[in-house]
Amino acid sequence: MDHDTETEGKTDSIDVEKHWSTVLEKGIDQLTDAQITSLTFSSLDDGGEFYNTYAKLVGFSIRKDEIKRNKNNIVTSRRWVCAKEGFRKNEANLNCMRERPITRCGCKAAFRIRFERKSGEWVVGEFKREHNHDLVPQFETQFLRSHRTIKGSDKAQIIALHNVGVKSNHIMDHMIQQAGGYENIGFTAKDLYNYLAEICNNSTRDGDAECALAYLQEKADMDSSFFFQYTVDEESRLGNLFWTDSQSRLDYACFGDVVAFDTTYKTNVYKKPLVILVGVNHHRQTIVFGFGLLIDETVETYTWVLQNMLVAMNNKTPISVVTDGDKAMSKAIKTVFPKSRHRLCVWHLERNAFANLQDREVYESFITCMVRYITPDEFEDMWKKMVDNRHLHNHEWLHEMYAKKMKWAEAYMRGHFFSGCRSTQRCEAMNAFLNRFLDRKTRLYELFQQVDRALSRIRHNETGADFSSNYTETILITTLAEIEKHAATIFTREIFSMVQEELLNEQKFIVLYYIDKEGYRTYTLSQYASLDSRWEVVYCQDDQSMKCSCLLFESYGYPCGHLFAIMKVEHLKQIPPSCIMNRWLKTAKSDLPCKLESQMSPDIIRMARFSAWSTSCSQMCYFGSRTTQGFEELKVEIARLTCRMEELYNSSKEAAEDGIRTASNNANLNVRDPAIVKTKGDHGSTSNNHSRAKVRRCSSCNNVGHTRCTCPSTHIQQGEHVDGDNAPESMEHPAVGSPDLEKNYYNFL
């Protein structure tokens, strides 16, 4: 046993000394043929790596040539040659006007290794050093094909940057700076673009729709509360699609009393409208309840989306819904949410009023009727006065708006809870936010990944707001210190700032008198310097419940200044439960189940490992680069650890799983990619012309059906005979220098 161990140690030391990397370090000029033919290699790849490294130092590129196998189909010999070996087969073909440059000149340089069964190693069987062409200088070897390889570590870094939305040219700039220059990076920008395109093509190998649905199915497998539904048309193409995850469903259970939704365009290559259903959380931040990709914008489609949302949310209907006034949306809401209060967007109404009301005074009167806090009777009087004074009895648009007054007039909306949402501004803001991640070239598979990124950022902001509310204290500034302190304790920071403003307004109100009847006290209040103003607050002494005639609590969910004035009169030290809406509390989500701990996919786990080690090794690389000794030691250790990690990976089950994971993830759903749809957002203007599919034309004659290489006019110029009477129209190309030819030339480029 001791003898074997000693022999093994000696063998290892000899292998290190005879390793080809130590031989090459002595210099190419001093390297003899005998030294190269005496080398041994541990594997076939090791021999190929040696010859490629040797070729880079000398200044040429290599490619694989002959391979020999035994009767068991095991490789016994491999030969590499110079990339300029041999000759092009179609060199004499002059028909092609855009022939590729000639790259082969019959070079005889070659390198062969064969497996020696006796020693169990690969030995050199052939080595030809001489070349019949000029060798490339060292600073130009970066362009030789065999030396342009994206390493596995670089691929992982490229994928990590690409997944977070970094553009390809910025990724290339980052890699160049990290490598210390173009000559050290090992690949070109075109190689990087091709690699990213290859990733995209591999991801959607079975079709974009198939891969997108497989992605959603994988999320459903990892998250038991993930929900998605889709339809297919008569051609088996993907139609409508709705999806929501567990966190959105939990948010809806807590904050689903108000829902706003709108459609956005130019988010995918199929021009399918994207519907975003949003709400407001306890920090007054926008949260997402679900998404829908639509085949069209009809009543049936919107009804399908809302019905699936209702199923996903356990049939909980919202109290209020806000939209932009689309008629199809309105009919769908009336069908699916008949008891919900529907509100039209104030911003869209204001824009429509500006377009339909030419008179400035009429426009201002309409806006006043829309936003002023008045009673329904006061609204009717104000509206009648506006119509009578300007003789607008036959104005069609005003008649239409008056018929919908229950959906937009503040006089009729007062007392209905909308959490402060008076417009679809949150939807518009969410659309603008998603435009950072999506564009008209985004495919479905990429769309879901980018939406997940956007949701992660939104939810991270909510976590930051939770931290600010729970672990920081606010400054108390009012005279009702105990009530203010209680409000600061229970409400989130954003809501408390609004409550604090009402506490300051409390000082403006004066209690005129009260009536005590059957355990209820009805207080009548007025405002300082505004004696005509009157409000009534009903207070129950038994349960300390309170209600104000201004209906601010019913509309927004927090107490008004009138209620605080009565709390002061009744010497209350805390806000009564009847004046607290649970959705605005710090503990609004405490009664809900915790966030589901979903099983992470292997790809996510490996990406997390790579990110963790990239961060950890940055400090080591920093100190290792500061001294010469540290640099040399770190280089040796990294080489040793790299070999060890490669051995572990090749012998692990993860390496075998890599080959089958893509096939197992892509379920055969037989769903074809969706057709490109026509939407409201696609007006067919000249600004959108470039998004239409381009027909490939001949760059010589501008006709379809052929290219310049096969153009009949090209054959005529080369001497082929064509009868003038029967010449095709494509031969009548414009003269050189004409505008049409220049246009064709730039289209070709």
Side-chain angles (χ1 to χ4, degrees):
M1 179 67 68
D2 295 341
H3 176 74
D4 294 340
T5 305
E6 182 179 358
T7 304
E8 183 179 354
K10 291 181 180 179
T11 303
D12 291 342
S13 62
I14 294 174
D15 289 342
V16 171
E17 292 177 0
K18 287 189 176 182
H19 191 265
W20 55 264
S21 60
T22 60
V23 176
L24 293 179
E25 287 178 357
K26 297 179 181 179
I28 295 298
D29 297 337
Q30 301 179 0
L31 193 62
T32 62
D33 293 355
Q35 289 177 315
I36 293 179
T37 54
S38 64
L39 292 175
T40 60
F41 306 98
S42 59
S43 64
L44 190 66
D45 293 337
D46 191 31
E49 185 178 356
F50 158 75
Y51 192 54
N52 195 43
T53 305
Y54 167 81
K56 185 175 183 180
L57 294 175
V58 174
F60 67 96
S61 179
I62 68 170
R63 57 183 172 86
K64 294 179 180 178
D65 187 43
E66 183 185 17
I67 186 172
K68 293 184 179 180
R69 302 175 184 270
N70 59 15
K71 61 181 180 180
N72 296 325
N73 202 32
I74 299 177
V75 178
T76 58
S77 175
R78 159 66 79 180
R79 187 173 187 260
W80 293 268
V81 296
C82 175
K84 289 182 175 292
E85 183 267 348
F87 298 93
R88 180 179 297 178
K89 295 180 180 179
N90 60 344
E91 184 176 351
N93 184 10
L94 300 178
N95 291 333
C96 185
M97 297 294 294
R98 292 178 294 169
E99 186 68 67
R100 291 183 301 169
I102 298 175
T103 57
R104 299 190 182 186
C105 59
C107 181
K108 300 297 183 181
F111 179 75
R112 182 197 297 273
I113 61 174
R114 57 182 176 81
F115 183 72
E116 191 176 70
R117 296 182 59 184
K118 184 177 180 180
S119 62
E121 294 180 332
W122 294 82
V123 298
V124 179
E126 176 189 5
F127 176 67
K128 296 181 180 179
R129 179 193 293 267
E130 299 300 326
H131 296 265
N132 65 349
H133 56 86
D134 294 334
L135 298 176
V136 176
Q138 275 299 301
F139 66 89
E140 293 181 357
T141 56
Q142 55 183 304
F143 300 106
L144 296 176
R145 179 167 296 182
S146 68
H147 308 310
R148 289 163 42 192
T149 304
I150 304 179
K151 296 180 291 185
S153 57
D154 291 336
K155 290 180 179 179
Q157 192 170 9
I158 290 170
I159 294 174
L161 294 172
H162 178 71
N163 288 343
V164 297
V166 181
K167 295 182 179 180
S168 301
N169 59 326
H170 295 163
I171 295 177
M172 188 65 188
D173 292 340
H174 170 74
M175 302 295 289
I176 292 170
Q177 185 180 21
Q178 192 176 45
Y182 284 93
E183 64 277 4
N184 300 325
I185 191 172
F187 54 89
T188 64
K190 184 178 181 180
D191 297 329
L192 185 142
Y193 297 148
N194 291 341
Y195 174 66
L196 292 176
E198 180 185 357
I199 293 176
C200 181
N201 294 335
N202 290 339
S203 300
T204 58
R205 183 180 303 169
D206 296 332
D208 191 20
E210 287 271 355
C211 293
L213 294 176
Y215 177 81
L216 295 180
Q217 184 60 52
E218 184 178 1
K219 289 179 67 67
D221 294 339
M222 296 185 294
D223 182 357
S224 59
S225 296
F226 187 88
F227 178 91
F228 75 100
Q229 287 290 341
Y230 65 93
T231 63
V232 293
D233 59 15
E234 59 277 2
E235 297 180 357
S236 298
R237 295 184 182 273
L238 180 65
N240 299 318
L241 174 63
F242 173 82
W243 77 97
T244 181
D245 61 6
S246 59
Q247 186 59 49
S248 294
R249 298 176 74 179
L250 292 176
D251 289 340
Y252 185 88
C254 189
F255 308 114
D257 43 12
V258 178
V259 174
F261 70 96
D262 192 14
T263 53
T264 181
Y265 310 96
K266 302 177 183 178
T267 61
N268 56 87
V269 71
Y270 306 102
K271 299 183 181 180
K272 294 176 78 68
L274 177 66
V275 174
I276 310 173
L277 298 105
V278 303
V280 183
N281 66 5
H282 51 325
H283 300 290
R284 289 182 58 83
Q285 295 175 330
T286 302
I287 53 176
V288 179
F289 297 140
F291 296 91
L293 279 172
L294 312 182
I295 195 172
D296 53 36
E297 297 170 278
T298 60
V299 178
E300 293 75 15
T301 298
Y302 284 123
T303 301
W304 182 89
V305 171
L306 295 181
Q307 286 175 342
N308 278 278
M309 189 196 80
L310 200 60
V311 172
M313 306 308 176
N314 299 320
N315 293 321
K316 176 184 176 181
T317 59
I319 298 174
S320 307
V321 181
V322 182
T323 67
D324 62 357
D326 182 84
K327 293 182 179 180
M329 287 185 183
S330 299
K331 292 180 180 179
I333 292 170
K334 188 175 182 179
T335 301
V336 184
F337 304 141
K339 297 182 179 180
S340 300
R341 191 59 182 257
H342 183 198
R343 181 169 197 160
L344 301 181
C345 172
V346 174
W347 182 83
H348 284 86
L349 283 174
E350 184 177 353
R351 188 176 64 172
N352 292 338
F354 185 81
N356 290 277
L357 301 175
Q358 306 301 326
D359 193 325
R360 181 70 181 181
E361 293 185 6
V362 176
Y363 167 77
E364 293 177 353
S365 298
F366 176 83
I367 299 301
T368 302
C369 292
M370 180 172 60
V371 302
R372 178 168 292 184
Y373 298 146
I374 53 179
T375 64
D377 293 338
E378 291 173 337
F379 170 83
E380 296 295 340
D381 293 339
M382 189 178 297
W383 186 271
K384 185 176 183 302
K385 182 179 178 180
M386 177 186 69
V387 173
D388 292 342
N389 291 345
R390 293 292 177 176
H391 307 288
L392 300 172
H393 302 86
N394 297 324
H395 198 287
E396 184 178 353
W397 186 82
L398 282 179
H399 272 289
E400 182 182 354
M401 289 297 102
Y402 182 76
K404 300 178 181 178
K405 62 183 178 180
M406 301 294 291
K407 295 183 179 181
W408 55 265
E410 189 64 34
Y412 294 97
M413 290 294 166
R414 197 70 170 173
H416 297 278
F417 183 72
F418 284 92
S419 68
C421 292
R422 301 173 61 184
S423 69
T424 56
Q425 180 182 2
R426 292 183 180 273
C427 297
E428 301 292 344
M430 183 59 63
N431 295 343
F433 177 72
L434 285 176
N435 285 338
R436 305 179 190 176
F437 304 87
L438 308 174
D439 56 39
R440 67 177 73 220
K441 297 180 181 179
T442 305
R443 305 188 71 83
L444 294 183
Y445 181 76
E446 298 172 326
L447 183 142
F448 295 127
Q449 294 178 324
Q450 297 303 321
V451 165
D452 287 344
R453 279 185 56 217
L455 282 179
S456 299
R457 186 177 300 184
I458 292 171
R459 290 164 181 171
H460 176 72
N461 294 337
E462 180 181 344
T463 304
D466 286 335
F467 172 81
S468 178
S469 293
N470 294 326
Y471 299 103
T472 58
E473 296 183 1
T474 56
I475 300 175
L476 307 181
I477 59 177
T478 69
T479 56
L480 301 178
E482 293 184 350
I483 294 179
E484 186 181 12
K485 184 176 181 180
H486 179 237
T489 303
I490 62 174
F491 290 116
T492 60
R493 176 65 63 85
E494 184 67 24
I495 300 303
F496 172 73
S497 64
M498 305 173 72
V499 172
Q500 195 174 50
E501 185 176 351
E502 294 298 326
L503 281 168
L504 292 173
N505 291 336
E506 172 272 331
Q507 302 175 11
K508 302 177 182 179
F509 303 115
I510 304 168
V511 178
L512 300 179
Y513 57 88
Y514 70 89
I515 299 174
D516 210 341
K517 183 180 179 180
E518 298 179 357
Y520 290 90
R521 288 181 182 174
T522 303
Y523 289 89
T524 301
L525 295 84
S526 179
Q527 184 175 347
Y528 174 76
S530 181
L531 298 178
D532 295 335
S533 302
R534 292 290 187 274
W535 295 274
E536 289 187 353
V537 176
V538 179
Y539 172 69
C540 179
Q541 295 177 328
D542 295 337
D543 58 3
Q544 295 183 341
S545 61
M546 309 175 73
K547 185 174 182 179
C548 180
S549 61
C550 75
L551 300 178
L552 185 140
F553 177 78
E554 288 76 9
S555 302
Y556 293 92
Y558 57 88
C560 60
H562 315 112
L563 295 177
F564 284 122
I566 303 307
M567 293 180 201
K568 182 176 66 174
V569 173
E570 294 292 338
H571 299 281
L572 301 182
K573 296 183 179 180
Q574 291 186 349
I575 302 175
S578 63
C579 299
I580 298 174
M581 188 171 286
N582 290 333
R583 75 172 331 276
W584 297 131
L585 300 181
K586 296 178 181 179
T587 58
K589 302 173 74 171
S590 60
D591 295 335
L592 297 176
C594 298
K595 296 180 180 179
L596 298 179
E597 295 294 337
S598 59
Q599 180 185 0
M600 298 178 67
S601 67
D603 292 336
I604 296 177
I605 293 176
R606 274 190 258 183
M607 188 61 66
R609 291 174 182 169
F610 177 81
S611 301
W613 281 120
S614 297
T615 304
S616 301
C617 291
S618 61
Q619 190 174 9
M620 177 186 66
C621 294
Y622 170 77
F623 289 112
S625 63
R626 308 305 289 181
T627 62
T628 303
Q629 182 180 357
F631 176 78
E632 296 297 333
E633 291 184 7
L634 187 60
K635 182 174 68 173
V636 174
E637 289 298 320
I638 288 178
R640 182 182 66 81
L641 288 174
T642 300
C643 294
R644 175 57 180 163
M645 295 303 107
E646 186 177 0
E647 291 177 2
L648 290 175
Y649 171 73
N650 292 332
S651 61
S652 65
K653 62 179 182 180
E654 284 82 358
E657 291 174 353
D658 282 347
I660 62 175
R661 180 169 289 113
T662 302
S664 63
N665 286 344
N666 294 337
N668 186 15
L669 303 174
N670 295 322
V671 179
R672 299 173 61 193
D673 293 347
I676 298 178
V677 300
K678 181 75 174 179
T679 65
K680 292 190 305 181
D682 184 15
H683 303 292
S685 61
T686 56
S687 60
N688 291 333
N689 287 343
H690 66 278
S691 64
R692 300 174 183 173
K694 294 183 178 179
V695 179
R696 185 174 183 180
R697 296 178 179 272
C698 174
S699 60
S700 178
C701 65
N702 200 33
N703 285 328
V704 298
H706 61 269
T707 63
R708 184 176 180 179
C709 297
T710 58
C711 180
S713 61
T714 304
H715 296 303
I716 289 179
Q717 292 176 1
Q718 294 174 359
E720 296 185 13
H721 178 73
V722 178
D723 188 356
D725 296 333
N726 299 322
E729 295 180 0
S730 60
M731 291 172 56
E732 299 176 3
H733 53 278
V736 176
S738 67
D740 291 338
L741 184 58
E742 293 184 6
K743 179 180 178 182
N744 297 336
Y745 174 73
Y746 288 113
N747 286 338
F748 169 74
L749 292 181

